[in-house]
Amino acid sequence: MWREILAGALMSVDVLILFSLVVYRKQIFTLAAWVASLHMLFPLIGYYAGVVVQNYLAYASPYLSGILLSLVGLQMILAQSPKQVPLLSPYLLAVFASLDTFSVSVSFGMLKLEKFVFILSAGLFSYIAVFIAQKVI
């Protein structure tokens, strides 16, 4: 069970870093809830996808994650200063930040690990990470 909690915490590190680079002054509660929801929805989909189509996604998921994380990196490069409102919508940026949990949960689905512990910890830690990134950092 500790592996799933640790994985959930590690999945929220990218949220902490990404949202500490940009400032959203409005709707932080909504944004945090959206990020947490996505960090719980994508792993749930990923678990079932991992069980159903583990042979097909085993080849495609590293490339998909690489492309999406490259797009997030491009967003950070295009931002003019570290604390400026980004070019992408915060909700679209949250989708990009949450898609890596899909790949991890596909692996967890193949290994048949405890899914609800990971999903809850990923959601909780990402919710907290948005607040830390926007209010503390």
Side-chain angles (χ1 to χ4, degrees):
M1 174 162 38
W2 64 271
R3 288 179 284 179
E4 291 86 354
I5 295 172
L6 180 62
L10 291 175
M11 287 293 102
S12 66
V13 171
D14 61 341
V15 172
L16 180 67
I17 293 169
L18 184 64
F19 284 100
S20 67
L21 295 174
V22 293
V23 175
Y24 297 108
R25 303 213 187 276
K26 298 178 182 177
Q27 301 176 340
I28 295 175
F29 289 108
T30 307
L31 181 61
W34 176 249
V35 171
S37 299
L38 290 174
H39 264 71
M40 293 183 341
L41 177 66
F42 286 143
L44 186 62
I45 295 169
Y47 268 108
Y48 292 115
V51 171
V52 174
V53 289
Q54 72 187 77
N55 291 333
Y56 300 113
L57 288 179
Y59 299 111
S61 64
Y63 302 112
L64 179 63
S65 296
I67 291 169
L68 293 171
L69 290 175
S70 297
L71 290 174
V72 171
L74 180 64
Q75 161 62 33
M76 290 191 278
I77 291 171
L78 292 176
Q80 294 177 359
S81 70
K83 286 290 187 178
Q84 190 175 26
V85 176
L87 303 173
L88 292 175
S89 161
Y91 300 103
L92 184 60
L93 196 60
V95 170
F96 289 145
S98 299
L99 279 172
D100 63 339
T101 59
F102 176 78
S103 300
V104 170
S105 63
V106 169
S107 302
F108 279 12
M110 289 183 218
L111 296 172
K112 299 192 181 358
L113 294 177
E114 191 65 38
K115 64 182 162 191
F116 291 112
V117 174
F118 172 68
I119 290 170
L120 290 176
S121 66
L124 177 67
F125 284 120
S126 63
Y127 187 83
I128 293 169
V130 171
F131 279 107
I132 291 173
Q134 291 296 300
K135 296 291 186 180
V136 176
I137 297 178

